Structures are given as structure tokens and as C-alpha cells.
Amino acid sequence: MGIESTYTNTDHDILLKALLDGPSPTPVLTEIGRVSEVGDGIAIVTGLARALSDELLEFASGVRGVVFDLEPDRLGVVLLGASDRITVGEGVRRTRHVVSVPVGPALLGRVVDALGRARDGDGLITAVARRPIEAEATEILNRSAITRPLATGIKAIDAAVPVGLGQRELIVGDRQTGKTSIAVDAILNQQKTGVICIYCAIGQRGDAVAKVIGAIKAGDMTQNTIVISAGDEDPPGLSFIAPFAAMTMAEYFADQGRDVLVVMDDLTHHARSYRELSLLLRRPPGREAFPGDIFYLHARLLERAGNFTEQAGGGSITALPVVETQAENLSAYIPTNLISITDGQIYLSPRLVRKNQFPAVDLGVSVSRVGGKAQLRAFRDVAGNLRVTLSQFEELEDFARFGTRLDDATTARLARGAAVRAALRQPERDPIAAAEQLAVLIAAMEGLFDGLPEAEAIAAMGRVRAAAAGALGDIATRIAANEPLRDEDHERIIELARGAGETIGGGDGPDA
């Protein structure tokens, strides 16, 4: 038995008339090219004569890529996905958009990749907007002087190599010297400052990034931090765009008047990713096989940091790029490039690591070209004497190794230098408040720890720090207000330190 249709010719005529009378659909022009070659992280595309530099392309397999090289009959494309998913001959279409990432408060507390896609399993990210990863740096007239300190909570840095909000301070050193630890400690110290932190891991192992995320969670900084991960297992294209994505996310908050700290860990891997992509695309190699524009690449990235005027949003972006050296070779190509771009460097010495001096900040090579103007005034009286004392101690220490008989003055200098160097020791994940730092450093500079065995000196410093935390509230308030230490404050700190150390060493406290 057949099914009777209720659809009549009248209905057909009405539907046809409605379609003919309705607006015509707008024609969509789709330009499609073809893949002619595929390499490890790159592809050569033909047939897209109208494509633009940095334009995002979409392959038929779903992988995306960025136009890197423009030539009359071919495009060099950096892939942002796995190259083994792409086959020669498959279609490629233009998107008419440059690479962009999501920005906004929804990113805080999240772990994302270089394209802003969630990697923490906590669901989709609701972005305020999307912004291109490449942007012009803020003009000179829209920048203001760096006058506010960025407290890292690390004695050796806050006292001798200070960093200001809006500064670009390079962290440089060999492998396993504690570069990442310093950057993470600086992030943890922002818990009460309101500074937004962005940690960008470039070419790092997954377990190393997981440790950083664990430290941020343990330090209760998760809700104020964005973690961007482009690991060593990811395509080199993602490592290439990762620091630019981090800077774009930071610029959104700076435009809202917020202070942002961006850690790029590390630009050595970033430079190597760029070299790999450039050589695969047959760009001419230069020094150490890096392409000639590697300097411009990092310069245009770090130039986007700064302290901005109210007309430009009123916020600031502080950049802490990390770079790795080999065998203490600071004159290698990438380190020298970044030293010339940044406003100073914190150098971590493997010699100090071998002496179990952590953080291994070498104050003879480290320098801050801007932060001294932003340093808290209470630290300024300590900083100058600190450097002189340590430099004299290191020279005498080398001389004393020959077994020469030393006079009393030289012996006293060696004792003072050893105490000051011990005062700069600090375990990781333990940022210290400014008043506590000053109490320990002033006590060491005044000789209260001279001649004590190392273990007893460290125990005495712990007691001084604990006493300062409970008894120097009014001094801490004046320090935070950027007031200099008064003479009576100085004397009060010394008396507090002397009293705190009286139980060290069997009841005989350190003597001035």
C-alpha cells in the first residue's frame, strides 16, 4: 500500500516563488592552492598568488600554517601542527587573517599552547577578543620613565641588581645554574603586589613545565598567572610564535592599566626553532647558521615591553627573557644579541654553583641599567657597599689559596666577605620581604656574623629574619613607601639582629 503525499503543486509553487523573491546569497571567493613539498615543520605551497605575509593558511587535513616566505611562484609556510598529517597535493586555502590569540581575564589560571588553546583540561576559554601576535611597539612619547620597583624577593637581586616595572632584564647562565628558579621565585613574590604574571615555556620538557606549574600552584599564584607551553615535542612553529603570543596577552592587561611580568624561558630554544625553520626554507645562514634577521626578531619582541603613559593605558610590561650559555661563553651570538637589546643582565655563574652558592648570581658581571632608579631607597645604602665587599673578598679569596700568611686586616676582610656571601644565600621558592632582606644584609655588613662557622651563621641569619618579620612593622611600612632608612632605624635593626643572634653558638652571640 503506497503512502499518500500531502505535498501539493501549490506548495511547490509558493516555495519556489519565495526563493526567487528572496535576497541572493553573497558569492564567496575561495582561493585554494596545493602542497608541493612537505618538510619537518614546513611546507611549500603553490597556487596562492594573493597570499600575504604572516597570513594564516588552512590545509585540507585541518593543520594550520603561517606564510613565512613570499616568492612569485611559491609560498614557504611554517606549520602549526604535525607535518606528518600533510600530504603532497592536498588543498590549502587562505583565511585572510593573520595569526591571533585570545586575550582577556579568562586566561588567568589556565595553561594554554602558543595559539591560546587550553591544555589543562578545564574546558574552553571565553576570550574578550582575539589579537594578532605581531604588533608595533608603543611609541617613545607614550612611554614613561621606570620609577617603580619589581620586588623579586631575592636578596642578591633586590639589593644589587634591582629590576623596575617596565624593564627588560636578561637572565643568563649555563645549564643547571638556576635560571628558571629565579624567574619562578620572582613570579611567586607577586602574590600580594597585584602584578599579573605570564610564564612562557619555549622548547622545555613536559616534566620541567609541570614542576613550574606545581610551584605556581603551591605558591598560590595560579589565579594571577597564565602559563603558555610550547614544548620540545611540539612543532617548531609553535615554539616560534609562543613568546609573541605571550606579549600579546600581556599587552591586553597593560592596556587596562595593569602591571604584567612576562618570563620567556628560554629564547635560546626560540632562536634554534627559528634557525631550524629558516634553514628548511632555504634562507641564507649567517653567523652560527642563524638567519641574519634573528636580531630583529628578538628586538621587535622585547621592544614591546615598557612602562606606559596614561594615554597608552597606564600599565607596564616587565620582560625577564632567559638565555642559555655554553661553558660561560657570554660572547656567543644569541647572548650578545640579547645583552645589547635588554636593559641589563642577571648572570648565574657555574663557579658559584660549584661552591653551593644559591642563587648563583655573579654580582661582578650582573648589572641593571635602569632598575637602580626604581630601587627602594632603603636598599641603596646597602647596595654599593655590598658590591665592593664581595669584589674585594673574591680577590683576596683567590690570593689566600696560595697559603700566604695574612695580616689581621686581610683576615678580617675575608671573614666579612664570607659572611656577606653567606647572607646572600637563599633557598628556592622562598621569597623574602624587603624589611627581612635588609635586616639580614645590614647585620652581615656590620660584621655580626664574622668568624661564625657556616652552619651557625645561616642559623643566626634565620633568627634575624624571623625577628625582623615580627618587630619591624613600622620600618617595613616606611620601606614600602620608598622612604630611606633613618639612622635610628639602622641602629634598631643592628640591635635586633644582635639580640636575635645571642642564642647562636652555645650562647655567645656574634659580636660587631
Side-chain angles (χ1 to χ4, degrees), residues 32 82 84 87 89 96 151 182 191 225 227 298 320 389-390 396 484:
I32 299 178
D84 55 6
T87 57
R96 292 180 173 81
I182 282 185
Q191 183 180 5
T225 305
V227 176
H298 287 154
L320 292 182
T389 301
L390 283 176
L396 290 173

Side-chain angles (χ1 to χ4, degrees), residues 131 136-144 250-258 304 306-317:
R131 289 190 178 185
E136 290 187 7
T138 305
E139 298 177 353
I140 295 293
L141 294 178
N142 287 329
R143 295 172 181 260
S144 56
E251 285 174 338
Y252 168 82
F253 293 106
D255 290 346
Q256 311 300 315
R258 303 292 299 273
R304 292 163 69 177
N307 190 32
F308 310 119
T309 62
E310 292 296 331
Q311 290 77 11
S316 70
I317 300 176

Side-chain angles (χ1 to χ4, degrees), residues 394-475:
E394 290 174 355
E395 290 181 5
L396 290 173
E397 186 182 36
D398 292 338
F399 180 72
R401 288 177 184 171
F402 295 105
T404 309
R405 294 183 61 184
L406 305 174
D407 57 25
D408 293 341
T410 303
T411 303
R413 283 186 179 180
L414 284 170
R416 180 66 51 82
V420 171
R421 187 164 70 182
L424 292 177
R425 288 185 179 175
Q426 186 173 334
E428 63 180 9
R429 314 295 180 261
D430 184 27
I432 303 176
E436 299 171 33
Q437 293 185 41
L438 281 169
V440 174
L441 292 174
I442 289 174
M445 296 294 295
E446 291 293 329
L448 300 186
F449 309 126
D450 289 3
L452 284 178
E454 182 177 316
E456 291 186 11
I458 292 175
M461 293 171 191
R463 290 176 180 269
V464 170
R465 176 185 171 186
L472 299 180
D474 53 336
I475 294 179

Side-chain angles (χ1 to χ4, degrees), residues 50-178:
R50 297 176 182 270
L52 305 175
S53 180
D54 292 333
E55 184 176 350
L56 196 65
L57 303 182
E58 192 167 285
F59 292 78
S61 57
V63 176
R64 292 189 170 190
V66 184
V67 176
F68 205 54
D69 281 348
L70 289 173
E71 298 183 20
D73 55 347
R74 64 194 287 275
L75 299 176
V77 180
V78 171
L79 301 178
L80 302 179
S83 54
D84 55 6
R85 293 171 54 188
I86 296 176
T87 57
V88 174
E90 79 172 68
V92 187
R93 71 177 186 86
R94 292 182 60 192
T95 64
R96 292 180 173 81
H97 298 288
V98 296
V99 186
S100 60
V101 291
V103 297
L107 288 163
L108 294 173
R110 303 299 299 271
V111 180
V112 299
D113 68 2
L115 290 173
R117 299 174 296 198
R119 300 192 68 170
D120 51 12
D122 289 341
L124 296 177
I125 296 172
T126 306
V128 172
R130 296 188 68 89
R131 289 190 178 185
I133 63 169
E134 292 274 9
E136 290 187 7
T138 305
E139 298 177 353
I140 295 293
L141 294 178
N142 287 329
R143 295 172 181 260
S144 56
I146 295 173
T147 56
R148 297 174 296 152
L150 175 83
T152 64
I154 301 172
K155 289 175 285 188
I157 296 176
D158 289 345
V161 198
V163 180
L165 288 171
Q167 187 172 345
R168 301 161 299 177
E169 184 79 2
L170 181 67
I171 301 175
V172 57
D174 287 7
R175 291 182 66 252
Q176 302 297 319
T177 51

Side-chain angles (χ1 to χ4, degrees), residues 184-185 187-192 211-225 429-431:
V184 173
D185 287 349
I187 290 175
L188 297 182
N189 199 51
Q190 310 311 314
Q191 183 180 5
K192 298 180 180 178
K211 287 180 181 178
V212 172
I213 296 172
I216 292 172
K217 288 182 178 179
D220 198 22
M221 270 296 293
T222 304
Q223 296 306 315
N224 238 20
T225 305
R429 314 295 180 261
D430 184 27

